Amino acid sequence: MSIHVALHHESVYRYDQPVALTPHLVRLRPAPHCRTPILAYSLKVHPEDHFLNWQQDPYGNHIGRFVFPTPAKELRVEVDLIADMTVINPFDFFVDDHAKTYPFSYGDVLRRELGPYLEAQPAEPSLKKLVEDLRTSDVGTVDYLVTINAALRDRVGYVIRMEAGVQTPEETLTKALGSCRDSAWLAVQILRNLGLAARFVSGYLIQLKADQKSLDGPSGTEVDFTDLHAWAECFIPGAGWVGIDPTSGLLAGEGHIPLAASAEPLSAAAITGSFAWTHSLPDQKLEQSFDFAMEVRRFKEDPRVTSPYTQEQWTAIDTLGRQVDERLTADDVRLTMGGEPTFVSIDDMEGDEWNVAALGEKKREISEQLLRRLAQRFAKTPILHYGQGKQYPGEPLPRWALKCIWRTDGQPAWKNSDLFAQESSTGVRQPEDAETFL
């Protein structure tokens, strides 16, 4: 069972006079490697008088390039998408044998392909010390990633920072504070200094209120919410790009929807572009503002163990069931249910033939007695059929299947019951007798 959520994201740039908008690059479409199923997506940009070309950057990210031919006083970018929040196990991957333990080698070909993601900036004192503190050997690679991620979560406090750009790793470590993008860039630099290929990721983070509070530890958010977020990804042979979120200390899951992944944070910015004045007035100042809004709401929610049907839903189900019963009764539709009741001899309950063996001394004889007693009670003139039943594994022959067949209108299906042979009957039949019978 899953939850479908609708995400709305709106960014608005306003100017007090018309400006000439330069071409804008919009990276607000889920990236090709997004694991969360995106069921619907739309991107609307105002002014509507524009040209759009969808492109892919050198990293394979989707980029919408917008060209605006006429001046405008407002630029509005709206994103709507529906995501299927099916739970994703972040550890659902395999690691190549040679990379299961850190340190490992990428190999010549892969190292060339990962070149941009291995280039580390010169490490300043705080970063250099942290890298050395974290450096180890003969440790499981996945466990090592988890350890680094948790260390950054504990080392750097989270703050909402409205200033543009990304702090240097040294600045983030010195302050012990940073936004999600600052912690993500710090994680990238640490991984690269440890010889691990890493990239910066920007995207949406969707967090939903848990159905039940946690018995041990934090329960998470108290309300459903979404926001622009940033995290890091590390390339592990066999597993590919594995997302780690140093802000929470968790690996990326279904709530992480990547929009762009790149070697540098600037190449993953949600919107890049500028503007120019349409005329020049030396003593006039241009007033400009920026607003954004984000919301997420549950679009479709299936009942599940932790959040079953409401009383109203149960009432609706019960009402529908009664309506179906009324229709079946009115149309004289009869429903019957078959089954395989198990019978055991009262005189030998523990015998093999009544527990594990296919046949035995009395099983066929007593079964036939029961069949005839049932036939006398339910069907006065039935056909008794002795045929092949199920064959279970390990048994050389199929079991018997005894059937009683009759007509519900009272007409005899078989008139002379004496013609049915019984297990207790004496005499031996030959193949010729069977031929005569056929």
Side-chain angles (χ1 to χ4, degrees):
M1 298 297 183
S2 64
I3 300 174
H4 295 176
V5 300
L7 181 149
H8 177 75
H9 175 207
E10 184 175 311
S11 302
V12 185
Y13 302 83
R14 294 187 178 92
Y15 311 93
D16 65 347
Q17 60 178 292
V19 297
L21 298 170
T22 65
H24 277 58
L25 302 181
V26 178
R27 303 176 183 87
L28 291 174
R29 178 176 167 182
H33 72 288
C34 177
R35 294 187 297 168
T36 302
I38 305 300
L39 308 180
Y41 174 82
S42 72
L43 173 65
K44 298 178 182 178
V45 174
H46 302 272
E48 295 181 354
D49 181 19
H50 64 254
F51 298 96
L52 167 62
N53 291 103
W54 280 108
Q55 304 174 351
Q56 282 189 301
D57 67 8
Y59 305 107
N61 302 306
H62 297 300
I63 297 181
R65 186 176 189 273
F66 290 84
V67 176
F68 304 94
T70 57
K73 295 178 66 175
E74 180 182 278
L75 172 62
R76 182 186 300 269
V77 180
E78 297 180 36
V79 172
D80 287 284
L81 63 82
I82 296 177
D84 182 352
M85 298 294 285
T86 300
V87 175
I88 293 175
N89 176 8
F91 295 95
D92 185 17
F93 54 77
F94 294 97
V95 179
D96 285 350
D97 290 340
H98 80 278
K100 287 183 176 179
T101 303
Y102 175 86
F104 61 85
S105 173
Y106 284 112
D108 294 340
V109 175
L110 189 55
R111 175 168 289 276
R112 285 197 301 271
E113 295 173 339
L114 294 172
Y117 308 110
L118 289 166
E119 292 182 4
Q121 296 178 344
E124 297 184 66
S126 296
L127 177 59
K128 185 179 295 185
K129 182 179 184 306
L130 180 56
V131 169
E132 292 308 314
D133 290 343
L134 293 171
R135 193 182 300 278
T136 185
S137 60
D138 296 327
V139 61
T141 301
V142 178
D143 294 337
Y144 193 33
L145 273 185
V146 173
T147 300
I148 294 172
N149 204 30
L152 292 181
R153 175 203 59 199
D154 298 337
R155 181 71 178 264
V156 180
Y158 174 70
V159 293
I160 298 176
R161 197 169 59 79
M162 301 304 294
E163 298 85 0
V166 178
Q167 292 179 170
T168 65
E170 193 70 13
E171 188 176 1
T172 300
L173 289 173
T174 301
K175 294 180 178 179
L177 289 173
S179 65
C180 56
R181 61 186 184 277
D182 301 323
S183 294
W185 185 234
L186 173 60
V188 168
Q189 289 302 313
I190 289 175
L191 292 170
R192 291 181 184 178
N193 275 277
L194 291 170
L196 296 170
R199 64 184 182 181
F200 182 91
V201 184
S202 67
Y204 292 123
L205 175 64
I206 299 176
Q207 289 188 288
L208 303 180
K209 180 182 177 180
D211 294 331
Q212 298 176 344
K213 289 188 175 295
S214 175
L215 297 178
D216 54 347
S219 298
T221 178
E222 291 296 325
V223 294
D224 298 345
F225 89 95
T226 185
D227 202 355
L228 282 171
H229 194 53
W231 59 95
E233 290 180 346
C234 179
F235 190 89
I236 303 176
W241 291 106
V242 177
I244 63 171
D245 186 348
T247 301
S248 64
L250 303 174
L251 267 66
E254 66 277 0
H256 293 76
I257 300 178
L259 299 173
S262 60
E264 300 287 335
L266 182 61
S267 299
I271 302 175
T272 56
S274 186
F275 65 90
W277 286 37
T278 56
H279 58 279
S280 177
L281 296 175
D283 57 346
Q284 186 174 2
K285 182 179 180 181
L286 177 67
E287 296 291 338
Q288 54 183 307
S289 64
F290 169 69
D291 294 301
F292 76 97
M294 298 191 69
E295 65 174 351
V296 64
R297 61 181 177 84
R298 302 193 184 205
F299 181 76
K300 174 180 176 291
E301 190 168 1
D302 293 328
R304 49 199 179 278
V305 174
T306 53
S307 182
Y309 293 118
T310 63
Q311 187 57 49
E312 292 77 10
Q313 289 172 318
W314 279 121
T315 301
I317 293 171
D318 183 65
T319 301
L320 176 62
R322 294 179 185 277
Q323 292 174 354
V324 171
D325 284 344
E326 292 172 1
R327 290 286 299 275
L328 292 175
T329 301
D331 294 336
D332 194 28
V333 177
R334 314 291 180 85
L335 301 180
T336 61
M337 181 173 66
E340 290 187 340
T342 300
F343 298 97
V344 177
S345 170
I346 195 173
D347 300 319
D348 184 22
M349 294 184 181
E350 303 301 327
D352 286 347
E353 62 182 318
W354 302 106
N355 290 277
V356 295
L359 293 174
E361 283 188 40
K362 292 289 186 179
K363 193 171 190 177
R364 169 69 187 278
E365 179 181 340
I366 295 178
S367 298
E368 183 180 328
Q369 293 174 9
L370 175 61
L371 177 70
R372 290 179 180 271
R373 288 168 56 194
L374 291 173
Q376 290 175 1
R377 178 166 182 174
F378 294 102
K380 301 304 181 184
T381 54
I383 293 176
L384 300 183
H385 180 263
Y386 301 69
Q388 178 176 305
K390 295 180 180 178
Q391 182 169 3
Y392 291 91
E395 296 182 359
L397 296 173
R399 301 192 179 198
W400 283 95
L402 311 185
K403 296 180 182 179
C404 178
I405 306 165
W406 70 93
R407 290 175 50 151
T408 59
D409 59 4
Q411 295 297 317
W414 186 273
K415 294 181 180 180
N416 188 357
S417 60
D418 293 335
L419 294 178
F420 290 124
Q422 298 186 36
E423 183 71 16
S424 58
S425 301
T426 58
V428 177
R429 297 297 180 185
Q430 300 298 327
E432 294 78 7
D433 298 314
E435 184 178 355
T436 301
F437 176 77
L438 290 174

